[in-house]
């Protein structure tokens, strides 16, 4: 989980951020101004400062924010000059936009503000729809406007070419003032701002909506396609004076009126970001107006004038108004809803930041308020020296918090005296809303009052009946007492911090009491109790704890999920968690932990040596015997009619002759009242594949023979748990029988199924032997926990994966995870992994002359709600997540990003089912369909660690030789937006950050070869070669456009030692001819095969593919692992295919396998070949290439 | 570094070479040869000595044979302690093999429990596991298991099947992550110097403040004498499975990795050798 930031403003207007991975508030020092509002999203944060201007803070990212400016140069042919810029009077401008209507010469382009810089000078775009053009980049047509072609014809009278230039946003990690364009005579500065709406459009992190309220109560809005490049403020008429506004990531926009009612914006949608109308919602309690509202995707929270917190029931995008209010506990002054509908608030009494615990998709209102108690960085510095001396990891965290308290008192006292006159932010007041209760006193007594207040609330939990009966008169004395003995007051604050798990009822009680006055002897009770449990002597030196007082919080950029570990709460649970993490993962004090662990390992092996070494000839007390595990299962009968039959299933394990374990599987069934059985030797099993679907918990067992026949043994267990138990047991048994244990080797071949399951196989030397390699049907695959879409490796053991949600993961070196527990899994390098993907269903309609398009189809038609093929009925209600491990995380939404395009309502039209669909309705169309998407999420475990922050869509790792001593490995990747990235990792640690490699267009596939040949495929299907990449110049210098095979759009590329292979969108596999050291781009494409989905070329130029339509396969035909036979240094194309495991496979990488085959065959020849073909990248740009950028 | 699971294997496959000699008090028909055997540390004496019994019965008359029992240097060996504990407690720091004397007469009723059959051992073993789970999970895990699962644990021990045993036992070793460990650590502290059979108290793996507790913390509370100041000579050895873990070792980790199959952490405290 990458860390993200929670933003907050304290009562003095200082802006702080708190990282989800951090334990302290970081002061945003850049801001010399005071701020009053912040609203954050993941990539940036907006604020209103005390000068009433809007400021923007954009987080620095490894991928810069770029904007492409373009203009067209137009020319016409005349007999005298040939093509020239002398156009006809009726023609367009010589320099124009793409339509020709707007005059835009190069010189007219200005940077929009000083926060932008030009990336380079103007240059000509020589890429025309994926095809390289002739030098000069001209495209020809008969006349303006017309269809342009890249070839000049006899009738080409006009031509044009595109000039492009990039500008880059440079003001990152700093607050930048957004100039306000005041058009009115009287200035009406902003008073509140909120940012959201990025989930309405499907573009990743698409359009941002910014809503703001002016001091006069007017609402304005503007929209951003990319952050930093907005439209202009547009006023939205409101029926009243608005004081505050909140918009969520989706289509919810709520505002608070001066009178205390709420406004809800209706009609906000993809086509109308602004919405259409306001609807009024009454305040939850009559007579007490709302002062604050906060909305998320499916929630609305509000705070009324009496500081009560309310939760709105039944809010969603179909019903933005919701159905009713529910009163919640806690007294807050403001509230904020962040990502995944998590809630933050600022307490009324203590001005602390609270986090709503337990907010999940099923329980949006959460469970309890939990105070975020971490120090601020200014305070931390005082204590760092002593903190570092604390050795025990267990008390590390607690110690930190205690230490800071002293410092915080000091620094805040200073600050308060300094600012005593000015007193806080000149908050433009929100109607007659209660002013935030800002302390006017700076004495210790106030602070202790705050502390004891909080204690009162918390301790009341322990003694609820005693609480309310406390006489109020007690409290002045109590205050005196506090002042007299600050240390005594402190200790309760420690105990209070330990466990503020307020149950709802108690808090309410405590609150009502507290409003009448700070809890008197409650503090005393708690201080007593804490004296009893804590060593006072230890606490005393650290003095009073003055918690920071906050004014505003924004969690819009802060991603917290149920499994996220937050270190923000100094409660016993979180520290206990810490320590258990420490015990499990050794992450906190590795050195110290390693000492005891090492001692145990050493002593145990010493003991074994001492007690056993000289006595191995003794008889064993227990003779080894056979162990049998039995169970009942269902078996998919091998013969017709195929059906599930109940069987007895038994695994018999025994020790083989040489002590290795082996086993036999038995399936006992009844056929014609006769008891029969069939068996399978464990050492012949090649793979166990879980085939989770919604109806049965099934798995498939393959042997080499069954792989060839494409007919696995299919079994179904009664429950998922039982299936996982069996799979884990069988897997261990198979590994034992083959002597495989521990983590995958560096040479391992990795593959991923279409369900995201990960398998790994240990290659033997014979696997690449020639001419008779081990058939790949005999490869043994074992499963590794986790869920990935793509996996790439190299022979130094660097393994990266990419999830369906584009998250990048790196292999930790462990094994197991997922349902492999206990012995089948390593323990200290398994982490939580999540993935999100979409499930699609189609809504189909047929046109009839009377009613137009309706959901009444012909009797022969497909289901009106179906899957893509139309063969299976899939309604919104009956469609379940892919397996029980997945849960829905969104509602059904129309998917507009469908190949072929859609109309405004998402429909695609066709003449009939099934046919090719297009996005606009024509007269010939009689049917239409639209795609609905719903996101679901998986949480599992595996030996994978997330590599934030950039989501990726493809990755490639420099392949290395078998004995390579390369220290730094080049990695190239493509971000989910198509940016090309590059980095250097060492084989041990994924260390450095990404370097952005500029391109003119988005990319989709990339591969690097053994001598740094980098090839990439753009989203438009064209191929590019990166020039001058070497170990010394890992990013290279320019792109060469390589023409695609005629009429084909390329999809994927893989580069081995010398071979370059690509796959196009029609499933053709192409080999690049004529690649030589001096001419690394090669000369032409040669067709090798069809029905190929993916290719992986290894460091020995091995060619492996995922193929479709493999002969002999049944329903699982698509996605079979195949290996090219006959690949030799002189014959890199090979001659035929060898079929391995499948179907249902989606990805394979053999780039880790650099194990040379045993050199029995023609050793001298092989040697000569490799010797005569050393491939080195030439540093000279090639003339025949097509450099398109730099 | 090796994986934590290797510890489980090392613990399970720990063996003590033993030399069984028939007590001279026994009447035999001819001279009895000593019998040599590798004893699993985690098992029970009476469970693994069928061969010993068979061996000595060959030289004895049936009427001279009563219940078999074992003794080491005058101390009767309690079969219901794991073999490793008996060895660490009575015979560590002595020369190997371990010389155990076999008796068939004069059963020391005061010191030993009778063990008429393996089902007695099974009952003892299962009751230990249940007690341990009561401490660890309020018996929730063991009660959720089926009869056959209990049998699997026992059969695993009886037949020395590591995988079979651990396939089930891992469930007993799980705990909710947010709690940081078991509810209480099932442990027993044995000592030779006292008449008390063993010390056993409620002890949590995590302090109320959230600190991970260590072996040292446990001893500080229950056997402070075992912790010596830096300048003092070491008075006691704290032995678990024949090794002396560092006092900083987290007690939860020890419980997960160095417990016997009965799920208890058996800690032997013996006087440090004087030399």
């Amino acid at each position: 989980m990458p860390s993200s930031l929670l933003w907050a403003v304290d009562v003095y207007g200082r802006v702080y951020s708190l990282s989800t991975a951090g334990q302290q508030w970081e002061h945003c020092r850049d801001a010399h101004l005071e701020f009053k509002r912040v609203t954050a999203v993941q990539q940036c944060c907006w604020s209103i400062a005390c000068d009433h201007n809007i400021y923007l803070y954009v987080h620095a990212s490894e991928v810069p924010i770029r904007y492409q400016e373009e203009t067209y140069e137009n020319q016409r042919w005349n007999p005298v000059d040939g093509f020239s810029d002398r156009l006809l009077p009726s023609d367009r401008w010589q320099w124009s936009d793409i339509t020709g209507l707007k005059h835009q010469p190069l010189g007219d382009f200005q940077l929009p503000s000083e926060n932008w810089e030009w990336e380079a000078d103007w240059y000509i775009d020589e890429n025309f729809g994926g095809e390289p053009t002739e030098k000069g980049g001209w495209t020809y047509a008969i006349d303006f406007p017309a269809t342009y072609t890249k070839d000049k014809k006899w009738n080409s009278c006009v031509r044009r070419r595109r000039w492009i230039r990039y500008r880059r946003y440079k003001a990152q990690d700093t607050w930048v003032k957004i100039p306000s364009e005041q058009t009115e005579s009287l200035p009406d500065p902003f008073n509140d701002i909120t940012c959201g709406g990025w989930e309405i459009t499907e573009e990743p992190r698409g359009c941002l909506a910014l809503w703001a309220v002016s001091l006069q109560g007017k609402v304005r809005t503007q929209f951003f396609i990319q952050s930093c490049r907005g439209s202009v403020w547009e006023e939205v008429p409101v029926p009243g004076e608005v004081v505050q506004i909140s918009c969520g990531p989706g289509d919810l926009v709520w505002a608070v009126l001066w009178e205390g009612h709420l406004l809800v914006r209706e009609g906000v949608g993809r086509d109308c970001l602004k919405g259409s109308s306001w609807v009024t919602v009454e305040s939850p309690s009559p007579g007490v107006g709302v002062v604050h509202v906060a909305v998320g995707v499916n929630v609305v929270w509000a705070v009324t004038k009496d500081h009560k917190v309310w939760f709105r029931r039944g809010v969603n995008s179909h019903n933005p108004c919701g159905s009713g209010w529910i009163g919640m506990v806690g007294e807050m002054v403001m509230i904020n809803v962040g990502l995944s509908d998590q809630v933050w608030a600022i307490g009324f009494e203590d001005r602390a930041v609270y986090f709503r615990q337990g907010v999940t998709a099923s329980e949006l209102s959460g469970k309890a308020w939990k105070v975020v108690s971490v120090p601020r960085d200014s305070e931390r510095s005082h204590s760092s020296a002593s903190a570092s001396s604390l050795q025990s990891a267990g008390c590390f965290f607690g110690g930190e918090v205690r230490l800071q308290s002293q410092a915080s008192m000091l620094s805040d006292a200073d600050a308060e005296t300094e600012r005593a006159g000015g007193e806080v932010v000149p908050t433009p007041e929100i109607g007659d809303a209660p002013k935030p209760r800002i302390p006017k006193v700076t004495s210790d007594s106030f602070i202790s009052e705050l502390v004891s207040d909080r204690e009162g609330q918390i301790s009341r939990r322990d003694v609820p009946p005693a609480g309310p009966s406390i006489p109020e008169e007690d409290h002045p004395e109590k205050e005196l007492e506090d002042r007299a003995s600050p240390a005594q007051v402190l200790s309760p604050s420690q105990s209070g911090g330990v466990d503020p798990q307020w149950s709802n009822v108690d808090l309410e009680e405590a609150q009502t009491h507290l409003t009448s006055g700070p809890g008197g002897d409650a503090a005393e009770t708690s201080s007593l109790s804490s004296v009893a449990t804590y060593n006072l002597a230890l606490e005393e030196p650290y003095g009073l704890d003055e918690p920071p007082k906050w004014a505003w919080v924004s969690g819009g950029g802060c991603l917290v999920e149920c499994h996220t570990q937050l270190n923000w709460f100094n409660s016993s649970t979180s520290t206990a968690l810490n320590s258990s993490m420490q015990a499990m993962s050794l992450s906190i004090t590795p050195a110290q932990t390693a000492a005891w662990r090492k001692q145990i390992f050493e002593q145990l092996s010493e003991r074994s040596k001492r007690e056993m070494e000289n006595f191995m000839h003794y008889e064993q007390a227990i003779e080894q015997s056979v162990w049998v595990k039995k169970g009942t299962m269902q078996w998919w009968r091998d013969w017709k009619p195929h059906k599930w039959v109940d069987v007895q299933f038994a695994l018999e394990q025994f020790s083989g002759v040489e002590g290795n374990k082996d086993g036999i599987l038995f399936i006992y069934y009844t056929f014609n009242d006769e008891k029969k059985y069939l068996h399978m030797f464990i050492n012949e099993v090649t793979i166990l594949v879980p085939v989770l679907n919604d109806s049965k918990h099934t798995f498939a067992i393959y042997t080499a023979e069954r792989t060839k026949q494409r007919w696995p043994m299919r079994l179904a267990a009664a429950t998922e748990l039982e299936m996982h138990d069996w799979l884990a047991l069988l897997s261990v048994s198979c590994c034992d029988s083959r002597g495989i244990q521990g983590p995958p080797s560096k040479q391992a071949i990795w593959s991923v199924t279409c369900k995201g399951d990960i398998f790994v196989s240990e290659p033997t030397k014979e696997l690449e032997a020639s001419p008779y390699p081990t058939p790949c049907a005999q490869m043994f695959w074992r499963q590794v926990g986790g869920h990935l879409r793509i996996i790439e490796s190299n022979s130094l053991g660097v393994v990266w994966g990419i999830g369906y949600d584009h998250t990048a993961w790196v292999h930790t070196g462990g094994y197991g995870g997922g349902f492999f527990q206990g012995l089948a899994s390593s323990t200290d390098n398994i982490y939580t992994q999540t993935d999100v993907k979409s499930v699609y269903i189609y809504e189909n309609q047929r046109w009839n002359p009377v009613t137009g398009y309706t959901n009444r189809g012909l009797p022969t038609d497909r289901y009106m709600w179906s899957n893509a093929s139309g063969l299976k009925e899939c309604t919104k209600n009956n469609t379940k997540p892919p397996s029980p491990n997945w849960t829905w995380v969104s509602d059904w939404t129309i998917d507009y990003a469908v190949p072929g395009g859609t109309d405004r309502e998402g429909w695609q039209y066709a003449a009939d089912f099934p046919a090719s669909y297009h996005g606009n309705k024509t007269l010939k169309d009689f049917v239409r369909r639209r795609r609905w998407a719903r996101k679901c999420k998986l949480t599992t475990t595996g030996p994978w660690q997330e590599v934030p922050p950039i989501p990726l869509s493809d990755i490639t790792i420099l392949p290395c030789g078998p004995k390579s001593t390369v220290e730094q490995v080049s990695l190239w990747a493509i971000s989910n937006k198509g940016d090309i990235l590059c980095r250097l990792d060492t084989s041990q640690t994924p260390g450095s950050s990404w370097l952005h490699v500029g391109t003119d267009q988005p990319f989709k596939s990339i591969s690097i070869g053994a001598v740094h040949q980098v090839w990439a495929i753009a989203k438009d299907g064209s191929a590019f070669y990166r020039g001058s990449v070497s170990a010394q110049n890992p990013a290279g210098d320019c792109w060469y456009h390589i023409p695609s095979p005629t009429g084909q759009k390329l999809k994927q590329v893989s580069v081995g030692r010398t071979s370059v292979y690509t796959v196009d969108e029609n499933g053709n596999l192409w080999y690049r001819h004529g690649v030589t050291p001096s001419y690394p781009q090669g000369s032409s494409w040669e067709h090798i095969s069809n029905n190929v989905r993916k290719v992986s070329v290894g460091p020995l130029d091995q060619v492996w593919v995922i193929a479709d339509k493999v002969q002999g396969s049944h329903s699982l035909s698509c996605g079979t692992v195949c290996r090219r036979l006959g690949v030799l240094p002189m014959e890199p194309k090979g001659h035929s295919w060898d079929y391995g495991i499948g179907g249902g496979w989606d990805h394979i990488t053999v780039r880790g396998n650099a194990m040379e085959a045993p050199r029995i065959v023609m050793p001298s020849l092989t040697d000569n070949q490799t010797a005569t073909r050393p491939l080195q990248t030439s540093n000279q740009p090639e003339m025949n290439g097509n450099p398109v950028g730099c | 570094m090796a994986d934590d699971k290797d510890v489980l294997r090392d613990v399970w496959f720990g063996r003590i070479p033993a030399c069984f000699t028939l007590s001279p008090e026994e009447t035999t028909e001819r001279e009895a040869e000593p019998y040599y055997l590798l004893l699993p540390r985690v098992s029970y004496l009476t469970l693994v000595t069928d061969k010993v019994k068979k061996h000595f019965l060959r030289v004895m008359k049936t009427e001279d044979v009563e219940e078999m029992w074992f003794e080491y240097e005058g101390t009767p060996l309690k079969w219901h302690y794991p073999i490793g504990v008996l060895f660490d407690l009575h015979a560590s720091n002595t020369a190997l093999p371990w010389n155990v004397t076999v008796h068939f007469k004069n059963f020391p009723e005061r010191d030993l429990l009778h063990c008429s059959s393996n089902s007695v051992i099974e009952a003892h073993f299962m009751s230990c596991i249940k007690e341990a789970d009561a401490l660890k999970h309020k018996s929730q895990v063991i009660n959720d298991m089926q009869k056959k699962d209990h049998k699997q644990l026992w059969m695993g021990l009886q037949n020395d099947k590591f995988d079979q045993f651990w396939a089930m036992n891992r469930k007993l070793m799980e705990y909710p992550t947010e709690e940081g460990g078991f509810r209480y650590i099932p442990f027993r502290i044995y000592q030779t110097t006292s008449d008390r059979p063993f010390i056993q108290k409620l002890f949590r793996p995590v302090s109320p403040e959230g600190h991970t507790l260590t072996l040292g913390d446990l001893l500080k509370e229950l056997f402070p004498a075992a912790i010596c100041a830096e300048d003092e000579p070491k008075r006691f050895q704290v032995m678990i499975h024949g090794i002396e873990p560092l006092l900083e070792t987290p007690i939860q980790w020890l419980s997960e990795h160095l417990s016997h199959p009965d799920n208890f952490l058996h800690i032997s405290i013996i006087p440090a050798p004087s030399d």
Side-chain angles (χ1 to χ4, degrees), chain A residues 4 45 127 277 485 655 720 738 813 936 1051 1090 1108 1124 1130:
Chain A
S4 52
C45 183
N127 177 19
S277 58
S485 56
S655 298
E720 194 190 341
R738 290 171 184 262
C936 55
K1051 191 169 80 171
N1090 53 5
D1108 284 343
R1124 191 75 179 164
M1130 279 304 278

Side-chain angles (χ1 to χ4, degrees), chain A residues 434-446:
Chain A
K435 293 198 176 194
R437 231 189 57 172
I438 285 147
K440 295 277 188 263
V441 262
T442 53
S443 72
D444 285 359
S445 73
F446 170 74

Side-chain angles (χ1 to χ4, degrees), chain A residues 579 597 603 611 625 825, chain B residues 1 4-5 41 161 212 244:
Chain A
S579 53
R597 215 161 157 271
Q603 288 197 354
E611 295 178 352
S625 55
S825 173
Chain B
M1 183 187 273
D4 280 356
K5 274 203 304 297
R41 268 181 166 269
K161 293 290 183 198
T212 306
E244 293 178 73

Side-chain angles (χ1 to χ4, degrees), chain A residues 982-1150:
Chain A
C982 150
R983 73 196 266 158
L984 290 176
D985 278 18
T986 62
S987 49
Q988 280 80 34
T989 48
S992 54
S993 56
W994 293 109
L995 173 78
H996 178 247
V997 178
T999 56
D1000 296 340
Q1001 50 186 328
F1003 276 74
K1004 60 183 175 185
S1005 172
I1006 195 158
S1007 187
I1008 182 170
V1011 282
H1012 296 90
Q1013 321 94 295
V1014 175
W1015 286 70
I1017 307 288
K1019 280 198 178 154
D1020 64 9
S1022 48
F1024 287 85
Y1025 173 80
R1026 182 79 178 168
S1028 306
V1029 183
S1030 65
Q1032 291 73 40
N1033 181 18
D1037 59 11
C1038 63
W1039 292 104
Y1040 297 85
H1041 192 155
I1042 311 290
S1044 311
T1046 321
Q1048 301 291 353
K1049 284 185 184 310
L1050 294 175
K1051 191 169 80 171
Q1052 192 233 332
V1053 62
S1054 188
V1055 188
R1057 185 164 52 187
T1058 57
S1059 296
V1060 179
Y1061 279 86
T1062 56
V1063 175
D1064 69 29
E1065 283 176 356
N1066 295 318
N1068 296 305
L1069 179 69
W1070 300 89
Y1071 169 76
R1072 187 70 181 169
H1073 244 300
V1075 173
T1076 64
S1078 59
Y1079 191 41
Q1081 296 97 318
S1083 52
S1084 63
W1085 295 106
E1086 183 181 343
H1087 188 260
I1088 301 292
S1089 173
N1090 53 5
N1091 293 328
V1092 171
R1093 188 190 291 192
K1094 236 172 208 171
V1095 62
S1096 178
V1097 183
L1100 308 174
D1101 281 342
Q1102 316 97 302
V1103 182
W1104 291 64
V1105 298
I1106 302 289
D1108 284 343
K1109 298 179 188 161
V1110 167
Q1111 207 181 10
S1113 44
H1114 302 269
S1115 56
L1116 296 166
S1117 70
C1118 57
T1120 300
V1121 171
C1122 302
R1123 181 251 316 261
R1124 191 75 179 164
L1125 291 175
V1127 175
L1128 287 170
M1130 279 304 278
E1131 296 168 48
K1133 290 173 288 180
H1135 50 67
S1136 60
W1137 293 108
D1138 173 26
Y1139 302 106
I1141 187 66
W1145 254 252
D1146 218 20
H1147 188 89
I1148 185 164
T1149 179
V1150 295

Side-chain angles (χ1 to χ4, degrees), chain A residues 495-539:
Chain A
S495 76
V498 165
D499 191 13
Q501 293 229 348
W502 306 342
S503 75
N504 293 356
V505 182
D506 305 338
L507 182 64
E508 194 90 289
E509 221 170 338
Q511 291 285 358
T512 41
H513 175 74
L514 279 163
T515 45
S516 62
D521 60 1
E524 212 164 51
T525 11
S526 65
S527 73
L528 274 177
S529 68
S530 68
V531 169
T533 42
Y534 285 82
N535 182 356
L536 249 179
L538 188 84
E539 313 285 355

